[in-house]
């Protein structure tokens, strides 16, 4: 999605919108608010809300819905940072504080789900940026989105670090009664000091595990994506054991490890953070990630084996729900499908 592919609506934009997004940008409203100190919201009306996942991602699903771009969770490793460059926005602080809100997401989704061209495929949410980040407390887009999926009995999954998902517990139960619903919470580690510096805008790991516990108590199974496992900072055997033990104690149905990957956009931001907080690790990271965005296969296999062995020990297994074992590629720098465009399923 680019700014020039958005439709106009009533309201006003800040005088510098054109300078920020380019001459063809059309933004419903751009503003700052004291309730969200340091965050700027860019409200837009998207032309389409269902996005095709690039084939190279090798995901078990083909379609996603992303009501937000940018994320106030401010995770220093977030792979989706690169997507902000497609909008001429900064992938560092800009990604954390310049939040794009697709205000018409729910109504647009309901219309697209009702189209005769839509075949009812699984839709994944939260695989790009978190749909339950802080902005959702203000905009409340997810109740309308879940309601539309429920009403069309369309299978879906949600991946989140946000505790706000519990606000929509009743809707999730209703959807669960009529279609396949997969919920996964991301908890890569439980070290409080590491959490405060690497995921500063997220709820604490123990609060996320409370989400897992609460969902289980209401009959909604919830897996944990143990992501990311951060080399040399959260990958020691005792750290892995403590994390898996806590995940099991919360009643998770599965645990799936994912080693940190550093794509362009995220790599630069993470390495700058590493240089400030753990300068002695910079050279080790340069060697470990010398061949690209991913840690070596031998390292990934070692972590996966260790976590799965611990999971069996604590009575849980690897994920079997349609959640990603590797995060999908960021949304490509191409427009959302315009209304009226035929969706070709492969």
């Amino acid at each position: 999605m680019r700014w020039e592919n958005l439709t106009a609506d009533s309201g006003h934009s800040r005088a510098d919108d054109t300078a920020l997004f380019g001459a063809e940008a059309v933004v419903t409203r751009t503003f700052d608010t004291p309730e969200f100190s340091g965050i700027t919201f860019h409200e837009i009306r998207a032309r389409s809300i269902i996005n095709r996942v690039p084939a190279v991602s090798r995901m078990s699903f083909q379609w996603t819905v992303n009501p937000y771009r940018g994320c106030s969770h401010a995770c220093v490793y977030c792979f989706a940072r690169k997507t902000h460059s497609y909008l001429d926005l900064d992938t560092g602080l800009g990604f954390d504080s310049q939040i794009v809100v697709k205000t018409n997401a729910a109504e647009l989704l309901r219309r697209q789900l009702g189209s005769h061209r839509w075949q009812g495929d699984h839709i994944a949410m939260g695989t790009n940026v978190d749909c339950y980040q802080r902005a959702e407390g203000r905009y409340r887009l997810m109740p309308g989105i879940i309601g539309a999926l429920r009403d069309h009995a369309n299978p879906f999954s949600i991946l989140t670090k946000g505790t706000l998902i519990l606000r929509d517990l009743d809707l999730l139960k209703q959807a669960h009664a009529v279609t396949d619903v997969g919920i996964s919470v991301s908890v890569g580690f439980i070290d409080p000091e590491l959490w405060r510096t690497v995921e500063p805008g997220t709820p604490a790991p123990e609060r996320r595990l409370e989400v897992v516990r609460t969902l289980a108590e209401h009959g909604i199974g919830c897996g944990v994506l143990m992501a990311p496992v951060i080399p040399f900072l959260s990958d020691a055997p005792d750290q892995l054991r403590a994390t898996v033990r806590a995940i099991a104690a919360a009643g998770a149905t599965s645990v799936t490890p994912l080693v940190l990957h550093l794509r362009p956009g995220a790599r630069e931001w993470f390495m700058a953070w590493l240089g400030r907080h753990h300068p002695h690790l910079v050279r080790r990271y340069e060697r470990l990630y010398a061949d690209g965005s991913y840690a070596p296969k031998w390292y990934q296999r070692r972590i996966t084996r260790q976590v799965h062995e611990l999971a069996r020990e604590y009575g849980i297994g690897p994920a079997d729900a349609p959640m990603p074992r590797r995060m999908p590629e960021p949304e490509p720098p191409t427009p959302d499908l315009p209304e009226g465009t035929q969706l070709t399923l492969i």
Side-chain angles (χ1 to χ4, degrees):
M1 179 194 72
R2 286 186 182 275
W3 294 100
E4 60 266 25
N5 292 285
L6 308 175
T7 59
D9 193 21
S10 59
H12 74 279
S13 298
R14 216 167 47 185
D16 60 352
D17 282 346
T18 299
L20 182 60
F21 302 119
E24 295 183 336
V26 180
V27 183
T28 302
R29 187 168 61 137
T30 290
F31 67 98
D32 306 312
T33 171
E35 303 168 63
F36 294 83
S37 179
I39 295 178
T40 299
F41 292 110
H42 305 282
E43 297 179 350
I44 61 94
R45 290 186 64 82
R47 297 179 65 189
S48 182
I49 197 65
I50 301 176
N51 306 294
R52 182 188 285 277
V53 176
V56 294
S57 296
R58 296 174 293 176
M59 292 297 100
S60 58
F61 50 83
Q62 292 181 302
W63 306 98
T64 63
V65 164
N66 298 298
Y68 301 99
R69 297 287 289 269
C71 186
S72 59
H73 283 343
C75 301
V76 298
Y77 52 75
C78 183
F79 80 98
R81 289 183 176 277
K82 180 67 175 177
T83 64
H84 249 37
S85 69
Y86 305 152
L87 305 178
D88 298 323
L89 289 168
D90 174 56
T91 61
L93 287 175
F95 179 82
D96 303 339
S97 61
Q98 303 282 329
I99 309 301
V100 179
V101 184
K102 302 175 186 179
T103 58
N104 61 332
E107 62 185 87
L108 193 52
L109 177 62
R110 187 173 291 275
R111 186 157 66 246
Q112 290 186 262
L113 291 176
S115 168
H116 70 275
R117 291 183 294 270
W118 179 248
Q119 300 298 308
D121 285 22
H122 178 96
I123 290 176
M125 293 176 283
T127 59
N128 193 6
V129 301
D130 203 319
C131 50
Y132 282 105
Q133 60 177 286
R134 285 183 61 208
E136 174 59 16
R138 175 188 180 93
Y139 287 98
R140 299 182 61 87
L141 299 180
M142 287 302 292
I145 289 172
I146 296 171
L149 291 162
R150 174 204 60 198
D151 292 347
H152 288 274
N154 201 105
F156 66 92
S157 58
I158 298 173
L159 172 64
T160 185
K161 290 186 177 81
T163 56
L164 191 58
I165 190 174
L166 294 180
R167 178 201 64 193
D168 298 337
L169 181 57
D170 287 343
L171 277 169
L172 291 171
K173 291 166 68 175
Q174 293 166 18
H176 182 66
V178 297
T179 190
D180 292 331
V181 177
I183 308 295
S184 190
V185 171
S186 177
V187 182
F189 46 83
I190 58 172
D191 181 339
E193 293 305 316
L194 182 59
W195 159 66
R196 289 188 184 97
T197 59
V198 81
E199 299 173 343
T202 65
E206 60 267 25
R207 291 185 60 206
R208 288 178 244 163
L209 291 175
E210 280 298 320
V211 170
V212 176
R213 184 174 290 108
T214 301
L215 289 171
E217 290 171 351
H218 286 83
I220 300 177
C222 182
V224 169
L225 185 65
M226 192 170 158
V229 175
I230 305 179
F232 318 125
L233 291 173
S234 71
D235 65 345
D238 60 332
Q239 292 174 309
L240 296 177
R241 175 173 290 277
T243 302
V244 175
R245 184 193 303 121
I247 291 169
T253 58
S254 63
V255 57
T256 303
L258 181 71
V259 173
L260 174 74
H261 56 274
L262 297 172
R263 296 177 185 160
R267 187 185 187 109
E268 297 83 353
W269 193 245
F270 179 86
M271 292 301 290
W273 171 87
L274 192 69
R276 292 192 303 272
H277 292 270
H278 305 280
H280 62 290
L281 293 178
V282 170
R283 288 292 298 159
R284 297 182 72 181
Y285 265 81
E286 290 173 346
R287 290 193 294 270
L288 190 66
Y289 290 88
D291 293 333
S293 300
Y294 294 90
K297 291 292 186 183
W298 63 263
Y299 178 86
Q300 295 185 54
R301 292 191 190 102
R302 190 188 81 190
I303 296 299
T304 298
R305 183 180 66 253
Q306 288 177 302
V307 170
H308 286 177
E309 288 173 354
L310 289 165
R312 284 192 293 271
E313 180 180 338
Y314 288 108
I316 54 177
D320 56 6
M323 296 303 298
R325 291 182 63 82
R326 284 178 54 187
M327 301 295 277
E329 297 292 329
E331 292 181 28
T334 55
D336 286 342
L337 295 173
E339 292 179 59
T341 297
Q342 183 167 352
L343 301 178
T344 302
L345 303 182
I346 59 173

